[in-house]
Amino acid sequence: MMSTSSIGSGGINYWLNLASEDYYLKGGEPPGIWWGGGVKALGLSGQAKPQEVHSVFRGFSPQGNQLVQNAGKKNRQPGWDLTFSAPKSVSTLWSQGDEALRREIQAAHFEAVKAALSYFQDELALTRRGAEGSEWETAGLIVALFEHGTSRELDPNLHTHALVMNACARADGTFGTIRSLPFYVL
């Protein structure tokens, strides 16, 4: 199941701080990782470091270059949280399984998340340019993935937050904002 919510200008720390709150794996949630067609254009890969996430979230590259016209502004829509949740029965099995079973379930869940995001990337990711944004073109998404194992009620809940940044790479190497409507209609 996927749920979608917009991320407010102050909301990014929630995901960055959850690494210490896992009660099933005893050792913290895994760190976030970068994913998407726009990640390489920013020189990002592997672990999503907090300073990198904060920069892109605000509309800047990790080096401080402005990516979008409204970078750093308070009224800017910084991104969206696409949360992919495993079924409750899978989360329960995952929480009670041995380490090998947990890793196998997590790997399957992560493959499903990547397949869904690949569909967004290949079929739905668009950005505007031109006079008053009249031209549409494909966009390379910039996504920070955060895997979690519990709900806010501390029940087993294997899920992944895909934080889609409101900055994307274009084919010509420039950046822009993304069209978010597809996140809500699927």
Side-chain angles (χ1 to χ4, degrees):
M1 180 178 85
M2 184 189 89
S3 63
T4 303
S5 60
S6 63
I7 302 171
S9 60
I12 201 75
N13 286 326
Y14 171 77
W15 295 276
L16 295 172
N17 293 332
L18 277 178
S20 63
E21 294 186 15
D22 181 54
Y23 295 93
Y24 293 97
L25 294 181
K26 297 180 183 173
E29 303 279 10
I33 60 169
W34 289 110
W35 183 93
V39 169
K40 187 176 181 181
L42 289 175
L44 299 170
S45 66
Q47 185 175 338
K49 297 176 181 76
Q51 65 273 21
E52 297 168 344
V53 175
H54 280 288
S55 290
V56 181
F57 185 72
R58 292 180 44 247
F60 296 95
S61 74
Q63 298 78 26
N65 301 318
Q66 185 172 339
L67 298 175
V68 295
Q69 289 181 354
N70 61 354
K73 296 191 176 169
K74 289 188 184 266
N75 63 348
R76 178 182 183 314
Q77 172 59 56
W80 297 268
D81 175 13
L82 308 183
T83 304
F84 297 91
S85 299
K88 185 67 171 175
S89 58
V90 173
S91 292
T92 301
L93 177 63
W94 168 81
S95 73
Q96 301 304 308
D98 62 20
E99 185 174 336
L101 180 59
R102 286 195 310 265
R103 300 251 180 258
E104 189 175 335
I105 291 170
Q106 282 175 267
H109 171 76
F110 190 63
E111 287 303 313
V113 169
K114 290 190 304 185
L117 288 172
S118 292
Y119 176 78
F120 273 100
Q121 177 72 65
D122 297 342
E123 303 296 330
L124 303 172
L126 295 173
T127 184
R128 298 185 311 177
R129 75 160 73 218
E132 297 183 25
S134 60
E135 301 170 35
W136 292 95
E137 62 185 80
T138 60
L141 296 177
I142 302 166
V143 182
L145 298 174
F146 291 89
E147 184 181 271
H148 295 150
T150 60
S151 69
R152 290 184 179 168
E153 293 79 29
L154 304 181
D155 290 334
N157 181 14
L158 181 60
H159 62 284
T160 301
H161 293 276
L163 306 185
V164 180
M165 306 297 170
N166 194 9
C168 60
R170 296 175 175 139
D172 66 0
T174 62
F175 292 85
T177 58
I178 61 173
R179 180 175 183 243
S180 64
L181 180 62
F183 301 151
Y184 294 97
V185 296
L186 288 180

